């Protein structure tokens, strides 16, 4: 009965023990070495664990490592592992319990595998700053860095750094992607690709709640893969799935008022939760483009002043997100500050355009914004606003894959982009502007170069005090504001709609799905 309730929408006495959600972007792998996108991260987050984890405030807390020490020079970390963490049961564990305890050697193997060129993990960069790692004994694991990097601990919270069992990975080879064995609160049960994925409770899981009750509370997690967001919304409206984690244009006005509140007819039926999301949405100038409008700091600033971000968020996003009136570092992370950036000011915008015209003789400046269809309405809004201040704007709609390729290769003079944090440190939002990270060898799509910025970026690695480092980050962000290589649009928000009987599901600024403390009231 329980298995049936995982895979159908029928209402049974066990329905409250199963959490259901839809993943419209298909899961491509359940191997944590390939946990590159939200779909894969959400699924593998239920199955695997690493040395550390992040709480809802992005504080680094213990996971398999119960505590750790860092050397004074910031180069060496010594992790002491728990001795009560076991892999999910599998026949290939050759003992009577069909499982075994996790040891430090398992992390050596997992890290070796992550950087193995034959595996070709997209997460191998996580260990770029690591010189060596060793297992001192079963419960002591050491990592030595090549140079100080204060954000390193946060990197270890990524699913890429999960522990995996050598004997199982070797047994399945590349098919480990569809036969995962981890240590997480849920274990793999069934995966029919593009149709459904079922996870079951791991009765060996080591974490307990504050009252000493074993986690997880749920018996199962069932994931469907409807590719259409409208169909996903209809299934949610019928109560067939418990979570809706998107706000698509096809139904946003059905659910929300322009101010971002639930419509009256849904208040008693569903719950809306919002919170900061480490995602900055922006337009980026390719500064190496041989285009006078792009080269002109005056015109770049005019564009930043030339449209109303508040109106854009209100009417196009139903007030989901915070207008980006500061720099590039978003709300919800240390380093964000309420420093003055760009607010709508049509007089300043027109004055800057006039100055540009006097200097260049160009009486009809024009730019082209490249975007994909999902952000067309925002770019068209900016187009209309900028034409009011004397800038001609064309909007070029490209397929997402083409947009990514041309952005990397420097073929777009002005492009729409997002920057989502991989780890909870503001350095993550400043690395795209470090001159040694020029594309295609790094994430500096704009080819921004500033000597002071580069020096501060390099100095920040040597600052171990979080507050002092945040001040440096804020100064670097102010340089981006002053030089305007980008047009910050808004700082995104996590938006989750759940059925009224769902309890314990929290939001976090990285938009991770954590189900080990979730339960459902019996209806």
């Amino acid at each position: 009965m329980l298995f049936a309730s995982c895979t159908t929408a029928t209402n049974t006495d066990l329905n409250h023990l199963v959490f259901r959600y839809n993943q419209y972007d298909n899961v491509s792998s359940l191997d944590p070495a390939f946990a590159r996108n939200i779909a894969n991260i959400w699924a593998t987050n239920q199955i695997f664990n690493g040395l550390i984890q992040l709480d809802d405030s992005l504080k680094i807390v213990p996971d398999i490592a119960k505590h750790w020490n860092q050397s004074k020079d910031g180069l060496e970390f010594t992790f002491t592992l728990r001795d009560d963490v076991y892999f999910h049961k599998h026949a290939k564990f050759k003992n009577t319990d069909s499982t075994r305890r996790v040891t430090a050697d398992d992390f050596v193997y997992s890290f070796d595998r992550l950087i193995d060129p034959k595996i070709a993990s997209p997460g191998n960069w996580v260990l770029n700053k690591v010189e060596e790692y060793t297992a001192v004994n079963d419960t002591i694991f050491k990592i030595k860095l090549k140079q100080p990097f204060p954000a390193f601990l946060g990197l270890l919270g990524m699913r890429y750094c999960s522990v995996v069992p050598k004997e199982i990975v070797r047994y399945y080879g590349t098919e480990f992607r569809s036969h995962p064995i981890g240590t997480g609160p849920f274990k793999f049960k069934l995966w029919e690709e593009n149709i459904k994925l079922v996870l079951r409770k791991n009765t060996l899981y080591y974490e307990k709640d504050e009252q000493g009750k074993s986690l997880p509370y749920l018996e199962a997690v069932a994931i469907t893969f409807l590719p259409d967001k409208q169909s996903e919304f209809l299934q949610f409206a019928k109560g067939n799935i418990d979570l809706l984690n998107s706000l698509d244009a096809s139904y946003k006005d059905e659910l929300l008022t322009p101010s971002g509140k639930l419509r009256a007819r849904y208040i008693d039926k569903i719950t809306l939760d919002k919170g900061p999301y480490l995602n900055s949405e922006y337009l980026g100038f390719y500064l190496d483009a041989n285009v006078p409008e792009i080269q002109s700091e005056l015109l770049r600033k005019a564009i930043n002043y030339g449209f109303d971000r508040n109106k854009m968020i209100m009417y196009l996003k139903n007030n989901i997100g915070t207008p980006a009136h500061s720099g590039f570092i978003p709300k919800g992370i240390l380093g964000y500050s309420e420093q003055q950036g760009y607010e709508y000011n049509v007089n300043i915008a027109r004055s800057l355009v006039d100055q540009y015209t006097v200097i260049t003789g160009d009486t009809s400046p024009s730019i082209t914004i490249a975007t994909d269809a999902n952000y067309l309405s925002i770019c068209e809004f900016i187009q209309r606003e900028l034409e009011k201040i004397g800038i001609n704007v064309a909007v070029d709609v490209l397929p997402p894959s083409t947009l990514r390729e041309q952005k990397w290769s420097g073929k777009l003079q002005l492009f729409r982009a997002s920057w989502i944090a991989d780890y909870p440190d503001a350095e993550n939002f400043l690395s795209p502007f470090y001159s040694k990270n020029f594309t295609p060898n790094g994430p500096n799509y704009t080819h921004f170069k500033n000597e002071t910025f580069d020096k501060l970026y390099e100095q920040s690695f040597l600052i171990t005090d979080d507050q002092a480092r945040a001040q440096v980050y804020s100064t670097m962000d102010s340089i981006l504001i002053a030089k305007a290589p980008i047009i910050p649009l808004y700082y995104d928000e996590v938006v989750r709609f759940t059925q009224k009987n769902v309890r314990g599901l929290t939001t976090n600024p990285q938009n991770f799905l954590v189900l080990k403390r979730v339960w459902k009231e019996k209806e």
Side-chain angles (χ1 to χ4, degrees), residues 479-496:
I479 294 173
L480 297 179
I481 294 171
K483 297 299 181 181
I486 58 170
I487 305 165
L489 299 177
Y490 61 92
Y491 314 121
D492 209 354
E493 285 186 304
V494 175
V495 183
R496 290 182 178 173

Side-chain angles (χ1 to χ4, degrees), residues 331-457:
K331 297 183 70 173
I333 194 170
L334 191 67
Y336 169 79
S337 63
E338 296 282 356
Q339 61 185 309
Q340 183 63 45
Y342 295 97
E343 295 196 36
Y344 179 55
N345 191 314
V346 68
N347 293 326
I348 293 178
R350 285 174 176 159
S351 174
L352 290 167
V353 173
D354 290 342
Q355 291 178 55
Y356 167 82
T357 298
V358 169
I359 292 171
T360 65
D362 181 3
T363 59
S364 184
S366 61
I367 59 171
T368 299
I369 303 174
T371 184
D372 58 34
N374 290 329
Y375 291 84
L376 177 59
S377 61
I378 286 177
C379 291
E380 287 180 336
F381 168 80
I382 295 172
Q383 176 187 42
R384 292 190 296 270
E385 293 286 287
L386 295 184
E387 287 174 350
K388 297 174 184 177
I389 62 169
I391 300 176
N392 299 315
V393 179
V395 178
D396 189 8
V397 182
L398 302 173
S401 58
T402 304
L403 183 66
R404 285 192 297 270
E405 188 277 325
Q406 294 194 7
K407 182 174 63 176
W408 271 98
S409 57
K411 296 177 180 178
L412 306 173
Q413 57 177 266
L414 182 59
F415 52 85
R416 203 256 4 133
S418 302
W419 190 262
I420 302 175
D422 289 314
Y423 47 92
D425 193 283
E427 180 272 338
N428 202 195
F429 287 90
L430 299 169
S431 63
F433 305 99
Y434 181 51
S435 66
K436 293 182 182 179
N437 286 339
F438 276 11
T439 53
N441 300 315
N444 190 339
Y445 307 116
T446 63
H447 282 206
F448 174 74
K449 184 175 184 179
N450 180 275
E451 185 177 346
T452 303
F453 184 97
D454 285 353
K455 286 181 179 178
L456 289 171
Y457 181 78

Side-chain angles (χ1 to χ4, degrees), residues 45 48-55 58-69 77-81 107 111 141 143 151-159 161-163 206-207 423-424 510 512 516:
N45 202 46
F48 296 94
N49 296 89
L51 290 165
I52 62 97
Q53 58 186 318
L54 304 171
D55 66 13
L58 300 184
K59 180 182 177 183
I60 297 170
V61 296
D63 198 354
I64 294 178
K66 58 184 178 181
H67 57 78
W68 54 86
N69 297 309
F77 295 82
T78 302
F79 297 90
T80 301
L81 308 186
F107 279 99
F111 283 20
F141 181 63
I143 300 176
F152 179 69
L153 264 180
L155 280 173
L156 295 178
M158 300 179 70
R159 281 285 63 87
C161 298
S162 300
V163 67
Y206 52 93
E207 284 193 274
Y423 47 92
Q510 288 192 288
F512 285 169
K516 60 190 175 185

Side-chain angles (χ1 to χ4, degrees), residues 44-227:
T44 54
N45 202 46
Q46 318 312 322
I47 302 172
F48 296 94
N49 296 89
L51 290 165
I52 62 97
Q53 58 186 318
L54 304 171
D55 66 13
D56 289 340
S57 300
L58 300 184
K59 180 182 177 183
I60 297 170
V61 296
D63 198 354
I64 294 178
K66 58 184 178 181
H67 57 78
W68 54 86
N69 297 309
Q70 184 178 2
S71 61
K72 290 183 179 180
D73 60 8
L75 293 176
E76 190 167 281
F77 295 82
T78 302
F79 297 90
T80 301
L81 308 186
R82 299 176 63 118
D83 60 4
D84 59 349
V85 182
Y86 290 83
F87 288 111
H88 301 155
K89 289 186 177 183
H90 193 281
K92 284 297 173 180
F93 290 122
K94 299 184 182 300
N95 55 53
T96 55
D97 295 327
S98 296
T99 184
R100 70 167 176 82
R101 185 166 61 89
V102 173
T103 68
D105 280 329
D106 291 310
F107 279 99
V108 172
Y109 171 75
S110 300
F111 283 20
D112 283 348
R113 181 173 180 265
L114 185 63
I115 61 176
D116 185 348
K118 295 179 182 178
I119 301 299
S121 167
N124 56 24
W125 62 269
V126 172
L127 300 181
N128 280 349
K129 290 182 170 59
V130 174
E131 181 175 305
E132 64 178 5
Y133 42 84
T134 55
V136 178
N137 54 41
D138 280 358
T139 58
I140 302 295
F141 181 63
K142 286 193 172 185
I143 300 176
K144 186 176 181 180
L145 303 183
K146 299 173 185 176
Q147 64 184 63
F149 184 50
F152 179 69
L153 264 180
L155 280 173
L156 295 178
M158 300 179 70
R159 281 285 63 87
Y160 290 134
C161 298
S162 300
V163 67
V164 297
K166 175 170 57 179
E167 54 268 65
I168 306 300
V169 175
R170 289 180 173 174
Y171 173 71
Y172 284 114
T174 57
E175 290 306 305
F176 185 69
R177 64 174 289 279
S178 56
H179 297 82
I181 295 292
T183 59
F186 297 93
K187 59 185 180 180
F188 174 74
K189 176 66 179 179
L190 170 72
W191 186 19
E192 294 181 29
E193 294 195 41
N194 306 326
I195 299 174
K196 61 188 173 185
L197 170 63
V198 179
L199 309 176
R200 294 291 302 274
K201 179 177 183 175
N202 174 21
T203 57
L204 300 177
Y205 193 59
Y206 52 93
E207 284 193 274
K208 293 179 170 56
D209 66 13
E210 292 73 13
Q211 287 72 44
K213 185 176 180 180
S214 294
L215 300 175
Y217 303 131
L218 294 163
E219 287 293 331
V221 177
I223 307 165
T224 54
F225 298 99
L226 295 172

